[in-house]
Amino acid sequence: MRDPKRVMAATVLVFEALVVVFASLVAKDLSGLSTLQAVGGGAVLALVLVLSSGLVGRPGGYWWGSLLQVVVVATGIWVPTMVGVGLLFTGLWVAAVVIGTRIDRERAAL
């Protein structure tokens, strides 16, 4: 059986990567960034998020995922709406880790 904490955390990172890609397309028009900076930066961040979903469950994987939440919120420097989006995903990240940990404990108790 798969580790629910790991599955939920990795899912949050992958969906967050999709949102970052779409947000980078918006950022090219709403920010002072060039198209290359906005779309390229968004693509790099999205790629890091997807690759990091594979690190979840390994030593330091959850800390790395938490750091990426800070990075996504920080993109609000260029697109202020990303602060809200980043905080939303930070909440999902925390929920995935907390609820996943609780499920792991309950399974272990059985």
Side-chain angles (χ1 to χ4, degrees), residues 37-56:
Q37 289 171 323
V39 176
V44 168
L45 180 55
L47 182 63
V48 170
L49 285 162
V50 169
L51 293 175
S52 297
S53 70
L55 295 176
V56 173

